[in-house]
Amino acid sequence: MTDESSDRTFADRALKRLPAEVPPPGFEAALLAAYDAWHARRPQGRWAALGAGLRQFSESIWPGAPAWAPASAFAFALLLGAGLGVTLPSVLADEQPTFSLEQPAAFSLSAADAAQEDM
Amino acid sequence: MHDPDAEDVAKAGRGDRDAAARLIARHSAKLLTVAGRMLSSRAEAEDAVQEVFLRLWTHAGRWRPGSAKFETWLYRVMLNQCYDRLRRRPTQPLEEAAEVADEAALPGVGLDDGQMGREIARALETLPERQKAAILLCHFKECGNIEAAEIMGLSVEALESLLARGRRALRAQLQHLKGFAGDGP
């Protein structure tokens, strides 16, 4: 028997020794009562549909998570993108070599020009 | 793929109380078992399962049977509930943690069934949450590796690796229980 399969056998036997979990009396009834309460206060109308749509969208991103979790992730991504969009162009612009038509060039293409400058 | 729950989910979303009762009867006990072992707290597990069913009712009307089974979604929601609750817990002080995991002090022999069960539950409790979830899904929900991987949002290889590490850790923690039936074939 390989190590892995003997670990598996060991774990299976160990877990079988755990005492069985029995739902407390009235647990199913409590769940059903919660269903009744939900059904009674279920909102109707256009805003309810909008809220339901948003919840469905958030559920598709992160099932079971509270609404703030995907909303925070989205807000963080938005802030990061906006921050980069604002700061990056000016940072890149600072790194470009600058020149002006009103100032003489600071370099020469020929040795003659260099000699003239020496005189 | 036939989903045995799809019809009841749609009906419950439209206000059919009997369909809701059938879903509760089919899933609540196993959800409670897995949540109870994940959280090591009966009361918290009951709250988590209540929350899972509330989410189910909220989304039932818009459930569309697609490639994923309803049960896969249900257990994924339950696991996320458990992870959130575990992360909200205050960190245990080191001295307390050491007391709980003091294996050398355990007798190892002559344990009755109750003590043995508590030892095993304690060992399970110390596993990292994802290893524990993988083991619980495969053992208590009797999931195949593919379904468990889908519930946990992992590849099958990643799930198998979690299972292997979790089982090895569990065995290492329980090795001191001499005469324990897991030693032989």
Side-chain angles (χ1 to χ4, degrees), chain A residues 1-7 9, chain B residues 184-185:
Chain A
M1 193 186 278
T2 63
D3 276 355
E4 205 168 304
S5 69
S6 85
D7 287 347
T9 309

Side-chain angles (χ1 to χ4, degrees), chain A residues 85-106:
Chain A
V86 168
T87 56
L88 216 53
S90 63
V91 170
L92 289 177
D94 287 346
E95 287 174 4
Q96 296 287 332
T98 56
F99 62 92
S100 166
L101 292 177
E102 291 163 6
Q103 289 178 353

Side-chain angles (χ1 to χ4, degrees), chain B:
Chain B
M1 184 201 317
H2 174 68
D3 189 342
D5 294 311
E7 197 180 334
D8 281 337
V9 174
K11 283 181 179 174
R14 290 195 296 269
D16 185 333
R17 194 171 190 272
D18 292 339
R22 280 195 296 274
L23 287 170
I24 290 170
R26 251 196 315 267
H27 298 293
S28 63
K30 267 193 182 167
L31 281 171
L32 187 65
T33 300
V34 178
R37 295 290 174 208
M38 272 302 286
L39 297 166
S40 313
S41 156
R42 190 57 182 250
E44 240 187 316
E46 286 175 24
D47 285 350
V49 174
Q50 281 272 10
E51 189 61 37
V52 170
F53 275 98
L54 272 180
R55 281 181 185 277
L56 162 57
W57 310 139
T58 312
H59 294 91
R62 296 183 305 278
W63 172 258
R64 299 279 173 276
S67 53
K69 271 170 71 180
F70 163 76
E71 208 179 23
T72 304
W73 176 86
L74 193 67
Y75 276 83
R76 192 179 293 182
V77 172
M78 188 273 294
L79 275 189
N80 284 339
Q81 276 289 323
C82 293
Y83 292 152
D84 284 345
R85 282 162 193 271
L86 287 171
R87 283 163 200 167
R88 280 205 298 265
R89 282 181 182 173
T91 316
Q92 203 179 16
L94 274 177
E95 308 84 62
E96 269 181 51
E99 272 175 37
V100 169
D102 187 7
E103 289 166 22
L106 297 171
V109 284
L111 294 181
D112 64 27
D113 277 356
Q115 287 171 311
M116 185 83 87
R118 280 193 292 279
E119 289 302 322
I120 295 165
R122 195 176 298 165
L124 191 62
E125 203 176 315
T126 59
L127 293 183
E129 59 187 38
R130 277 151 48 97
Q131 291 179 16
K132 185 161 52 169
I135 287 180
L136 292 174
L137 286 174
C138 290
H139 186 84
F140 290 105
K141 192 187 170 300
E142 294 156 358
C143 276
N145 288 3
I146 295 173
E147 192 186 356
E150 210 176 326
I151 290 171
M152 293 184 69
L154 298 170
S155 66
V156 177
E157 292 77 18
L159 177 100
E160 283 168 352
S161 159
L162 279 177
L163 278 174
R165 282 182 285 146
R167 286 167 177 154
R168 199 180 318 134
L170 200 60
R171 185 173 191 175
Q173 295 227 34
L174 295 172
Q175 205 71 64
H176 64 281
L177 298 180
K178 303 292 178 204
F180 177 64
D183 292 339

